[in-house]
Amino acid sequence: SLVRVCYCGEVNPAQARKCQKCNEDISDILPIPSEVDSGCRYQLSSIDSDYVYPLPEGSIIIGREHGMRECLIGKQYVSRIHAKLTVENGTAYIENLSNTNYTYVNNIRIPAGRTPLKAGDEVALGGIIVNGTRQEEAAYFIVGTV
């Protein structure tokens, strides 16, 4: 079954047009598969905790014009097609798809191919932390479990 995940993190039925928790308009958010309870489930939370994105089992493309676009649209260092997130057999992976602004895990540029993620990892799309400062046009998330 499909669900719509609001910016506040609330999981709503696919047919919902307003969030059941915060009453925000969610009609422009594409429904995603609801997660089947099969052990560990993952989510990405923005550094400021204003945005939470549950990772569905399987793969999803994220970027300014794909998954998570409602959070990434204003981030110019994030590519339209930036990364691929995969949850497979209880493990989360990320793969860089951008040729200009890369993907980083814990401030290290990830190599080609899939990189495993674990709870507490910081994922950066399009930027790194320099002298303790994050780049404003990049996007930063913490991997969590639910």
Side-chain angles (χ1 to χ4, degrees), residues 23-78:
N23 208 31
E24 183 74 26
D25 179 12
I26 58 171
S27 60
D28 61 337
I29 298 174
L30 292 177
I32 61 171
S34 65
E35 298 196 37
V36 178
D37 191 17
S38 60
C40 187
R41 295 179 351 191
Y42 294 91
Q43 66 183 18
L44 291 181
S45 300
S46 62
I47 293 296
D48 59 12
S49 299
D50 285 345
Y51 181 83
V52 177
Y53 186 79
L55 299 181
E57 186 74 25
S59 295
I60 186 165
I61 303 296
I62 59 172
R64 288 194 337 261
E65 292 184 358
H66 288 278
M68 296 176 55
R69 74 177 166 275
E70 59 276 0
C71 175
L72 301 174
I73 194 74
K75 302 293 187 176
Q76 293 304 308
Y77 291 175
V78 177

Side-chain angles (χ1 to χ4, degrees), residues 1 8 16 19 22-24 27 33 39 44 53 59 62 69 77 79 87-88 93 95-96 102 104-105 116 133 141-142:
S1 65
C8 72
C19 177
C22 69
N23 208 31
E24 183 74 26
S27 60
L44 291 181
Y53 186 79
S59 295
I62 59 172
R69 74 177 166 275
Y77 291 175
S79 299
V87 177
E88 182 177 276
Y93 302 92
E95 182 177 350
N96 180 63
Y102 301 101
Y104 302 84
V105 174
T133 303
F141 301 91
I142 299 294

Side-chain angles (χ1 to χ4, degrees), residues 80-95:
R80 293 176 302 197
I81 300 172
H82 198 96
K84 180 179 180 181
L85 293 165
T86 303
V87 177
E88 182 177 276
N89 298 324
T91 302
Y93 302 92
I94 192 164
E95 182 177 350

